[in-house]
Amino acid sequence: MPVSLLALALSAFAIGTTEFVIMGLLPEVAADLQVSIPSAGWLISGYALGVAIGAPIMALLTAKLPRKRTLILLMSIFIVGNVLCAQAASYDLLMMARIVTALCHGAFFGIGAVVAASLVAPGKQASAVALMFVGLTLANVLGVPLGTWFGQLFGWRATFWGVAAIGILAFIALIVSLPNNREEKPVNLASEIGALANGRLWLSLLMTVFFAAAMFALFSYIAPLLLEVTGISNKGVSWTLFLIGAGLTVGNILGGKLADWKVSFSLILSFSLIALFSLAFSWTSQAIWLAEITLFLWAMATFATVPGLQINVVRHGKDAPNLVSTLNISAFNVGNAFGAWAGGAVIGGGYGLTAVPVAAALLAVVGLLICLVTFRGSRGQSQPVNA
């Protein structure tokens, strides 16, 4: 395993932590900056919007740079953004700092996935992408709870200083470990944009939107489901989130190996299992042990989808791997917002919390149908990612 994959995973850990840790620090941020909790919540939405819009823009702006230099530049922006977050004296300045940090997020994951795939043999590219995204899953398992605890103990600004420090370590690791690829082909902006004229590419991006929507329709409301339906304590919710994080990590690794074998089978199976386990949770949520088992299996199925989605998008946009891989991260964030809205709409419509997993299952079924259309007449094998 190339050491540079670990550097990419460390970078993913830092970026994932800074995105999600704000959720655990909203009360501290709101109290310190004298805003309401809902207003503080817009710091999450603002970041997601920055990722969705900034990702393709940053990919195009850095298109002429070698990928190693691009990743180092993006990590520099990440460090500066977190330092600005730590020093923000007002809500508006913190929002601006969050958006600056978000600009590097989508482009880093998109281009980083292409680099990760180029570091290994063609038959192991999905596993390499999965290893990089292990950093993101560990951010949820370890980074968010530890960052929240650190911020509650020393103040929310201390958490952003800590994340900036991790960013510096990742910055150094990228410089030292990433190879200088002298065979890297120069990027032609016309061909990058021209590669978007591919129907299956857009179907693949739409597949990612509905994957993220299915995931976050349920995940966004997992805490109230566990508290009000399953009847576990706040401490039990924390342990369940840890269990889900473990499932995400295991599923990510298994999904990478499965996608290395056959992308189409990997995605069809994953979407089917997401729908199945989401639907099952509407029933098993009534009993604690059944709920825990179902959520672990649901988490495994969910993140088993990620490596295949990333590789699939690059395969259909192989003439513009940087741009299309980055667009896939934007699609994920669009689906994130759509899924959270859909789950909220179900609750707001008076259908009850147990209807939320049913809505998630329906979104997964839509993703499955798109998947079947995308791979119709295709062998679904993973083609090498252009370096």
Side-chain angles (χ1 to χ4, degrees), residues 12 52 82 386:
N82 278 280
N386 296 332

Side-chain angles (χ1 to χ4, degrees), residues 107-161:
F108 191 96
F109 275 107
I111 297 170
V114 175
V115 172
S118 72
L119 294 170
V120 297
K124 296 183 178 180
Q125 289 184 329
S127 292
V129 172
L131 181 58
M132 174 184 168
F133 277 88
V134 162
L136 182 60
T137 62
L138 288 178
N140 284 282
V141 177
L142 298 175
V144 172
L146 288 176
T148 300
W149 168 79
F150 195 70
Q152 290 170 343
L153 198 61
F154 300 105
W156 65 269
R157 297 176 191 276
T159 297
F160 286 104
W161 282 116

Side-chain angles (χ1 to χ4, degrees), residues 34-181:
Q34 298 180 337
V35 297
S36 66
I37 291 290
S39 294
W42 279 101
L43 294 168
I44 301 170
S45 303
Y47 188 97
L49 187 62
V51 174
I53 296 175
I57 294 174
M58 292 298 290
L60 290 173
L61 289 177
T62 59
K64 294 292 185 181
L65 295 176
R67 292 193 182 110
K68 176 178 180 178
R69 191 178 303 174
T70 298
L71 292 177
I72 291 170
L73 173 62
L74 292 172
M75 187 50 61
S76 301
I77 295 172
F78 172 82
I79 294 167
V80 170
N82 278 280
V83 170
L84 291 175
C85 286
Q87 294 182 320
S90 68
Y91 173 81
D92 291 338
L93 289 175
L94 180 57
M95 177 65 81
M96 289 177 61
R98 289 280 290 169
I99 292 173
V100 168
T101 310
L103 290 176
C104 75
H105 180 123
F108 191 96
F109 275 107
I111 297 170
V114 175
V115 172
S118 72
L119 294 170
V120 297
K124 296 183 178 180
Q125 289 184 329
S127 292
V129 172
L131 181 58
M132 174 184 168
F133 277 88
V134 162
L136 182 60
T137 62
L138 288 178
N140 284 282
V141 177
L142 298 175
V144 172
L146 288 176
T148 300
W149 168 79
F150 195 70
Q152 290 170 343
L153 198 61
F154 300 105
W156 65 269
R157 297 176 191 276
T159 297
F160 286 104
W161 282 116
V163 174
I166 298 173
I168 292 172
L169 291 177
F171 175 82
I172 295 170
L174 291 172
I175 292 176
V176 172
S177 67
L178 283 184
N180 293 306
N181 189 351

Side-chain angles (χ1 to χ4, degrees), residues 182-225:
R182 301 185 185 279
E183 297 180 0
E184 184 176 318
K185 299 176 183 178
V187 173
N188 184 293
L189 285 178
S191 66
E192 287 268 315
I193 297 172
L196 300 181
N198 181 330
R200 286 193 176 181
L201 168 62
W202 288 103
L203 281 174
S204 298
L205 291 171
L206 191 60
M207 201 189 305
T208 297
V209 170
F210 277 93
F211 152 70
M215 176 180 177
F216 284 96
L218 176 54
F219 198 30
S220 298
Y221 302 96
I222 198 67
L225 266 162

Side-chain angles (χ1 to χ4, degrees), residues 146-333:
L146 288 176
T148 300
W149 168 79
F150 195 70
Q152 290 170 343
L153 198 61
F154 300 105
W156 65 269
R157 297 176 191 276
T159 297
F160 286 104
W161 282 116
V163 174
I166 298 173
I168 292 172
L169 291 177
F171 175 82
I172 295 170
L174 291 172
I175 292 176
V176 172
S177 67
L178 283 184
N180 293 306
N181 189 351
R182 301 185 185 279
E183 297 180 0
E184 184 176 318
K185 299 176 183 178
V187 173
N188 184 293
L189 285 178
S191 66
E192 287 268 315
I193 297 172
L196 300 181
N198 181 330
R200 286 193 176 181
L201 168 62
W202 288 103
L203 281 174
S204 298
L205 291 171
L206 191 60
M207 201 189 305
T208 297
V209 170
F210 277 93
F211 152 70
M215 176 180 177
F216 284 96
L218 176 54
F219 198 30
S220 298
Y221 302 96
I222 198 67
L225 266 162
L226 291 170
L227 290 168
E228 298 178 31
V229 178
T230 311
I232 66 176
S233 64
N234 285 324
K235 186 177 181 180
V237 171
S238 298
W239 280 109
T240 303
L241 291 175
F242 179 83
L243 182 69
I244 289 174
L248 295 176
T249 304
V250 173
N252 184 48
I253 295 171
L254 293 178
K257 294 184 180 298
L258 193 58
D260 277 331
W261 173 63
K262 194 169 186 180
V263 173
S264 58
F265 179 81
S266 169
L267 292 176
I268 291 170
L269 176 64
S270 295
F271 271 108
S272 300
L273 291 177
I274 292 170
L276 175 64
F277 292 131
S278 296
L279 190 60
F281 186 64
S282 66
W283 170 68
T284 61
S285 59
Q286 309 286 339
I288 183 168
W289 289 109
L290 288 175
E292 299 286 338
I293 293 169
T294 305
L295 286 175
F296 180 79
L297 294 173
W298 170 83
M300 283 183 60
T302 299
F303 249 56
T305 317
V306 171
L309 287 172
Q310 197 72 22
I311 289 293
N312 182 56
V313 165
V314 174
R315 186 186 63 161
H316 288 302
K318 57 183 179 294
D319 293 328
N322 286 10
L323 180 59
V324 299
S325 184
T326 299
L327 280 172
N328 197 45
I329 306 300
S330 292
F332 179 86
N333 280 271

